[in-house]
Amino acid sequence: MQLYYSPLACSMAARIAFYESGADATFIEVDPKTKLTRDGKDFREIHPLGLVPTLRTDEGDILTENAAILQYVADFYPKAKLAPTDRMERARLHEWLCFIGTELHKALFTPLLDPKAPEGAKAYALEKGASRLSHLDKHLTGREFLLDRFSVADAYLFTVLNWSVVTPVDLKKWPAISAYVARLRDRPSVAKAFAEERVLYTEEQARHKAST
């Protein structure tokens, strides 16, 4: 399989899932500004919106959207147990993937990370996001993971919460979340993915600086 990604973007969740499963995958970097791959190909020919993650399956099918890709990876490598098989627990997984994608990724962090977003929009996102983080903090209190064991939802949640270091979101206000992030940062699959993408992100920023 081929995973199209950008360093430290939400696509890192899929990289974590692949590492957690011990599966092989080809990772193809996409420049988020130019939408070109490292070998100069136009990524929009793969995904017209130019968004990562995008997955090309072994059969050649193109799959987009984090929630779909993460569940596909989990189902493709069932021995890793990255998704529950029980009907209700699987629904809970989907519930948390939706929550992360809508309430945290898009509603909270996207406006904060967008340099073109008005200050009013950022203030509104922070104000509204506080209740969402409080909800998450309450759920994580006394829990190691979102579900009974590590799942692809945790891979996505860590990836999104990691953006707090470059935004005004102060996770210290939510101790259960802070402990969760620290705990997952030490997980081998997460540590490996984060270390690799941090280096790639630094290289990407250097290339942009050299081109201006």
Side-chain angles (χ1 to χ4, degrees), residues 5 16 19 33 37 46 53 58 65 82 85 92 106 111-112 114 124 139 156 178 182 187 191 195 197 202 204-205:
Y5 75 97
I16 293 172
Y19 288 167
K33 292 185 178 181
T37 61
I46 305 297
D58 291 338
E65 299 299 329
L82 294 176
T85 56
R92 293 295 183 198
K106 292 299 183 180
L112 299 180
D114 187 349
Y124 178 73
H139 176 77
Y156 191 10
S178 295
R187 192 174 182 87
E197 296 217 357
T202 301
E204 176 189 271
Q205 295 304 302

Side-chain angles (χ1 to χ4, degrees), residues 104-120:
L104 299 181
H105 182 171
K106 292 299 183 180
L108 175 58
F109 284 104
T110 293
L112 299 180
L113 292 167
D114 187 349
K116 297 181 180 180
E119 289 304 314

Side-chain angles (χ1 to χ4, degrees), residues 10-14 52-53 64-71 97 105 156:
C10 64
S11 51
M12 189 173 76
V52 295
T64 65
E65 299 299 329
N66 238 332
I69 291 172
L70 289 170
Q71 291 183 87
L97 287 171
H105 182 171
Y156 191 10

Side-chain angles (χ1 to χ4, degrees), residues 42 46 48 80 90 96 102 106 132 146 150 156 163 204:
D42 188 350
I46 305 297
R90 187 59 182 249
W96 280 112
T102 58
K106 292 299 183 180
R132 275 59 176 170
L146 285 171
F150 183 88
Y156 191 10
W163 298 337
E204 176 189 271

